[in-house]
PDB file of all heavy atoms in Angstrom:
ATOM      1  N   ILE A 159       4.612  12.818 -12.121  1.00 81.00           N
ATOM      2  CA  ILE A 159       5.407  13.837 -11.433  1.00 81.00           C
ATOM      3  C   ILE A 159       4.514  14.701 -10.534  1.00 81.00           C
ATOM      4  O   ILE A 159       4.858  14.997  -9.388  1.00 81.00           O
ATOM      5  CB  ILE A 159       6.151  14.710 -12.474  1.00 81.00           C
ATOM      6  CG1 ILE A 159       7.186  13.851 -13.210  1.00 81.00           C
ATOM      7  CG2 ILE A 159       6.822  15.897 -11.794  1.00 81.00           C
ATOM      8  CD1 ILE A 159       7.816  14.556 -14.398  1.00 81.00           C
ATOM      9  N   PHE A 223      -8.124  -3.765 -16.890  1.00 82.00           N
ATOM     10  CA  PHE A 223      -7.778  -3.287 -18.231  1.00 82.00           C
ATOM     11  C   PHE A 223      -6.274  -3.158 -18.450  1.00 82.00           C
ATOM     12  O   PHE A 223      -5.839  -2.801 -19.533  1.00 82.00           O
ATOM     13  CB  PHE A 223      -8.446  -1.930 -18.483  1.00 82.00           C
ATOM     14  CG  PHE A 223      -9.945  -1.991 -18.416  1.00 82.00           C
ATOM     15  CD1 PHE A 223     -10.629  -1.449 -17.342  1.00 82.00           C
ATOM     16  CD2 PHE A 223     -10.670  -2.608 -19.421  1.00 82.00           C
ATOM     17  CE1 PHE A 223     -12.018  -1.515 -17.274  1.00 82.00           C
ATOM     18  CE2 PHE A 223     -12.056  -2.679 -19.360  1.00 82.00           C
ATOM     19  CZ  PHE A 223     -12.733  -2.141 -18.289  1.00 82.00           C
ATOM     20  N   LEU A 231       8.750  -5.656 -25.056  1.00 82.00           N
ATOM     21  CA  LEU A 231       9.970  -5.906 -24.282  1.00 82.00           C
ATOM     22  C   LEU A 231      10.553  -7.230 -24.763  1.00 82.00           C
ATOM     23  O   LEU A 231       9.950  -8.291 -24.553  1.00 82.00           O
ATOM     24  CB  LEU A 231       9.642  -5.967 -22.783  1.00 82.00           C
ATOM     25  CG  LEU A 231      10.849  -6.235 -21.865  1.00 82.00           C
ATOM     26  CD1 LEU A 231      11.822  -5.078 -21.912  1.00 82.00           C
ATOM     27  CD2 LEU A 231      10.385  -6.482 -20.425  1.00 82.00           C
ATOM     28  N   ALA A 271      18.872   7.012  16.990  1.00 84.00           N
ATOM     29  CA  ALA A 271      19.425   7.106  15.637  1.00 84.00           C
ATOM     30  C   ALA A 271      20.216   8.395  15.457  1.00 84.00           C
ATOM     31  O   ALA A 271      21.303   8.398  14.867  1.00 84.00           O
ATOM     32  CB  ALA A 271      18.293   7.018  14.613  1.00 84.00           C
ATOM     33  N   HIS A 282      13.069   9.907   7.374  1.00 85.00           N
ATOM     34  CA  HIS A 282      11.609  10.070   7.368  1.00 85.00           C
ATOM     35  C   HIS A 282      11.128  10.584   6.012  1.00 85.00           C
ATOM     36  O   HIS A 282      10.204  10.023   5.414  1.00 85.00           O
ATOM     37  CB  HIS A 282      11.209  11.046   8.478  1.00 85.00           C
ATOM     38  CG  HIS A 282       9.778  11.485   8.414  1.00 85.00           C
ATOM     39  ND1 HIS A 282       8.730  10.698   8.850  1.00 85.00           N
ATOM     40  CD2 HIS A 282       9.214  12.622   7.928  1.00 85.00           C
ATOM     41  CE1 HIS A 282       7.595  11.328   8.647  1.00 85.00           C
ATOM     42  NE2 HIS A 282       7.853  12.495   8.104  1.00 85.00           N
ATOM     43  N   TYR A 283      11.790  11.625   5.510  1.00 84.00           N
ATOM     44  CA  TYR A 283      11.334  12.207   4.244  1.00 84.00           C
ATOM     45  C   TYR A 283      11.662  11.301   3.051  1.00 84.00           C
ATOM     46  O   TYR A 283      10.914  11.269   2.076  1.00 84.00           O
ATOM     47  CB  TYR A 283      11.941  13.600   4.057  1.00 84.00           C
ATOM     48  CG  TYR A 283      11.297  14.621   4.946  1.00 84.00           C
ATOM     49  CD1 TYR A 283      12.024  15.299   5.916  1.00 84.00           C
ATOM     50  CD2 TYR A 283       9.941  14.900   4.831  1.00 84.00           C
ATOM     51  CE1 TYR A 283      11.414  16.221   6.755  1.00 84.00           C
ATOM     52  CE2 TYR A 283       9.328  15.816   5.664  1.00 84.00           C
ATOM     53  CZ  TYR A 283      10.069  16.482   6.622  1.00 84.00           C
ATOM     54  OH  TYR A 283       9.458  17.380   7.451  1.00 84.00           O
ATOM     55  N   MET A 326       9.581 -10.177   8.970  1.00 94.00           N
ATOM     56  CA  MET A 326       8.376  -9.373   8.719  1.00 94.00           C
ATOM     57  C   MET A 326       8.359  -8.857   7.284  1.00 94.00           C
ATOM     58  O   MET A 326       7.317  -8.890   6.612  1.00 94.00           O
ATOM     59  CB  MET A 326       8.338  -8.192   9.701  1.00 94.00           C
ATOM     60  CG  MET A 326       7.163  -7.253   9.505  1.00 94.00           C
ATOM     61  SD  MET A 326       7.231  -5.851  10.637  1.00 94.00           S
ATOM     62  CE  MET A 326       5.897  -4.840   9.983  1.00 94.00           C
TER      63      MET A 326
END
Side-chain angles (χ1 to χ4, degrees):
I159 294 171
F223 299 107
L231 180 66
H282 169 78
Y283 286 118
M326 178 183 171

